Amino acid sequence: MYRIRLHGRGGQGIKTASRILGTALFRAGFEVQDAPRYGAERRGAPIFAYVRADDKAICERGVIHRPDLVMVADDTLLDLTSANVLEGLSGSTALLINSNRSALHWCQRLQLPGPVTVLDGGAIGARAGRVPAGAVCVGAAARLLGVVSRQALLTAVAEELAGHGAAAVEASRQAVLQAYDQFSSEAGLVQRLQVAATPTAAAPPGWIELANEALPQAAATITAPATSRQVATGLWRTRRPQIDRQRCSRCGLCLNLCPEGCIDLDEDGFPVIDYRYCKGCLLCAAQCPRKAIRICEERAVQTEKPEGGES
Amino acid sequence: MTRILLTGNAAAAWGARLAAVDYVPAFPITPQTEIIETLAEWIDGGVMDSRLVTLESEHSMLTAAGAAAVTGVRVFTATSSQGLLYGMEMLYNLAGWRAPLVLVNVSRGLSAPITLEPDHNDVLAARDSGFLQIHCATCQEVLDNVLLAYRLAEDSRVRLPVIVNLDGFYLSFTREPVEIPDPVAVADFLPPFADLGQHFRGGQPSSQAVAVLGGGPYSYFRYQVHLAAEQAAAVYADLGRQFERHFGRLYQAVEAYRCDDAELVLVMIGSFATKAKVAVDRLREAGQKVGLVRPLLLRPFPVAELRRLLGQRKGVAVIDQNLSPGRGGILHAELAEALYGLAKGGPLLASFVGGLGGRDIAEEEFLQIVEVLSQAVQRGSAPPPRLLFTADELQQVRRLQDIAHGSREGDDAS
């Protein structure tokens, strides 16, 4: 069985990528199971999806903990412990990272036992016309499996993106194919994990007895104030609003419209964005009457200045 | 006949479409909403000839569903979790009205604390309403059992509403290959709705929900629901065979997997049961005589089948994805009652509660359950009930509690 996990951020087309891969494998004659994993929708927040493919009906269900291939559509997730991107990687797990840094860089940095490959999907996606990262990467992922033909992949793209119009299908086909062709020398890198845990080899699960505990511990209540401050929603941001103080008229509209309440005024009356919480919704930039809020790619800003404090 | 990848939600919608339902009262709730979105798109696009109406709550939705069904049209509706409970009053009413409709429930754990992921406490809360219940393990079963449910609900010996249940996330948002039956074959298997005298009309008024004062009449009518539900076991068996003749897939009230010579048997309902099959296969490879028994029908409860399939085993482990506080696993209690009074005392019965709120059950846990059962059989006494919960999970809860009560700062909790 192939077990594939796809990581990205909300909005990068990870669910669609899993469906393209699922349909392509199904077209290639496999039994397939694919599913996204998400809670409340959160654009920019870490999400993942998974695909299983086998020669016979698939009875396994749920999140894949021992993957054969992990695709990471956004390399900033590798810095985020809670995204759990590297869970269960073994010497036989192939890792595909969408990054403008080299495979050598990631090999040295991550020190993983399995093969690491890198796709500069940003460039491909931009050339094809703003194709989401997930859709670009899935072309490389399909090639790494070595069992998905060009035709099966293209059919899958057309099927899964049919609802998005002909232009989107064409752009994605181009991007997916480019990634697929670029990985021709890596075709078949992914190994199907043949050996599963045998009854004797499996470690016992470590169940424990629960004791009856007192309140407030035993009920799902939160007694500490303002715990939501600990949720650094700024980590979800892929694009960043920046105040241009030359153009800003200090009208304060952005401060009133910010749904996160993360814009404040400094002593001169200029708005200041708290990037620990700014999700990058860009409502402020869209509504600013003086167009005094610029939009920058988060990745570019972080390369210059890794610690994102206040502006 | 086409085989395509479908989510459990899409499979449920396909079932309604192929059943050519006339009326779909709807109210959105995660993880069910995709079902009514899919139907709305089809109706809007003209590929489905029926009427979809959004109501202001699940209570109204079920009232509309029941009222429509007794006018003599085929009705489909769907909900989940809190929605099912919000409409609970009407579940009993619809059964009492003998409204033969199909309700798809996408299982999700109940609040509080609130969650989105599945367990079976929602659908089991409807256990005593008079609705029949079919529990599915795959997306294919969802589609097929919506069709079977209409035959069952509309059968003159039954005439009761039916819940078809599927697990949130594990089926609702998971795509699997599903064979979509040929509409002509479906029309042959499932003829148009026959109202059998149930044709409530404005111009021909009748009372559908009358009061009876005094327990005698009430007992009579309520017991009629019970007798009809009991009939449904034989009817489902018959329909399953008919379905196989039409579509090549056999459905029975209880699925027995690798049980022929099994000494130890796992009992589960729903999609997690397919995970149990993986464990059974592995144990069989290692030479252990282990099988799986999975009831599809929970109402009526297939007592005779379960006694036949389980009565002679050495040990049975029930894995409940539900919890009745103060009692334990509901299926375990029902099964203990069903196996009571067997000539040779019946199998040793062990209770495991797992998968609450979508908590996964790992393969090694299935293996450990069988190990615990095997030791209990050798010892000759049942083990205490066991919650599937690990030290790592408790540590995770402790971290959350520390944040919740202010004794710790979170990590990069996103």
Side-chain angles (χ1 to χ4, degrees), chain B residues 49-99:
Chain B
D49 180 21
S50 65
R51 177 91 183 267
L52 184 144
V53 178
T54 52
L55 279 300
E56 76 279 8
S57 74
E58 288 87 352
H59 189 278
S60 305
M61 177 186 92
L62 288 169
T63 308
V70 295
T71 65
V73 298
R74 190 169 280 159
V75 177
F76 175 87
T77 189
T79 190
S80 175
S81 182
Q82 312 298 129
L84 187 72
L85 265 67
Y86 198 67
M88 182 60 70
E89 182 195 2
M90 291 317 296
L91 294 181
Y92 280 73
N93 271 297
L94 268 46
W97 297 355
R98 308 295 294 270

Side-chain angles (χ1 to χ4, degrees), chain B residues 81 154 160 233 250 295 379:
Chain B
S81 182
E154 293 170 10
L160 281 172
L250 175 67
R379 207 174 50 237

Side-chain angles (χ1 to χ4, degrees), chain B residues 279-301:
Chain B
V280 166
D281 288 347
R282 186 122 317 135
L283 289 160
R284 282 279 177 180
E285 282 163 27
Q288 296 199 46
K289 292 181 178 172
V290 179
L292 166 77
V293 159
R294 175 177 69 96
L296 280 80
L297 270 192
L298 217 65
R299 281 294 178 270
F301 198 53

Side-chain angles (χ1 to χ4, degrees), chain B residues 116-330:
Chain B
L116 297 176
E117 296 191 44
D119 67 35
H120 298 146
N121 263 103
D122 60 350
V123 63
L124 289 174
R127 187 187 59 169
D128 304 332
S129 63
F131 268 69
L132 307 179
Q133 291 196 9
I134 306 174
H135 288 253
C136 303
T138 66
C139 297
Q140 182 75 62
E141 283 188 11
V142 173
L143 192 160
D144 292 348
N145 276 284
V146 169
L147 301 178
L148 278 159
Y150 278 107
R151 282 291 304 273
L152 190 61
E154 293 170 10
D155 191 281
S156 61
R157 292 161 287 179
V158 179
R159 226 53 194 180
L160 281 172
V162 180
I163 290 175
V164 175
N165 197 72
L166 63 139
D167 290 326
F169 289 78
Y170 289 86
L171 288 186
S172 73
F173 299 148
T174 299
R175 293 199 312 177
E176 296 177 338
V178 175
E179 198 172 291
I180 298 179
D182 173 28
V184 177
V186 173
D188 190 39
F189 173 74
L190 177 62
F193 187 84
D195 67 23
L196 303 184
Q198 288 182 301
H199 44 231
F200 189 44
R201 292 283 182 283
Q204 197 185 331
S206 59
S207 289
Q208 286 291 333
V210 300
V212 287
L213 296 179
Y218 183 86
S219 303
Y220 169 83
F221 291 118
R222 187 73 178 142
Y223 212 74
Q224 284 295 319
V225 171
H226 173 58
L227 294 172
E230 285 197 322
Q231 281 292 308
V235 175
Y236 188 81
D238 176 36
L239 292 174
R241 285 188 292 270
Q242 286 186 40
F243 190 91
E244 188 192 20
R245 281 199 293 278
H246 277 83
F247 307 107
R249 291 183 293 279
L250 175 67
Y251 289 99
Q252 291 176 310
V254 184
E255 181 195 12
Y257 181 73
R258 303 190 81 165
C259 277
D260 285 349
D261 61 342
E263 293 173 352
L264 306 178
V265 174
L266 301 171
V267 176
M268 296 186 81
I269 56 173
S271 66
F272 276 39
T274 68
K275 294 158 74 82
K277 285 183 179 177
V278 179
V280 166
D281 288 347
R282 186 122 317 135
L283 289 160
R284 282 279 177 180
E285 282 163 27
Q288 296 199 46
K289 292 181 178 172
V290 179
L292 166 77
V293 159
R294 175 177 69 96
L296 280 80
L297 270 192
L298 217 65
R299 281 294 178 270
F301 198 53
V303 173
E305 271 300 282
L306 290 167
R307 283 170 77 97
R308 186 180 68 77
L309 285 166
L310 298 172
Q312 309 299 317
R313 312 295 172 183
K314 287 184 177 168
V316 171
V318 186
I319 306 171
D320 271 287
Q321 271 173 276
N322 64 76
L323 182 64
S324 174
R327 177 59 187 87
I330 293 169

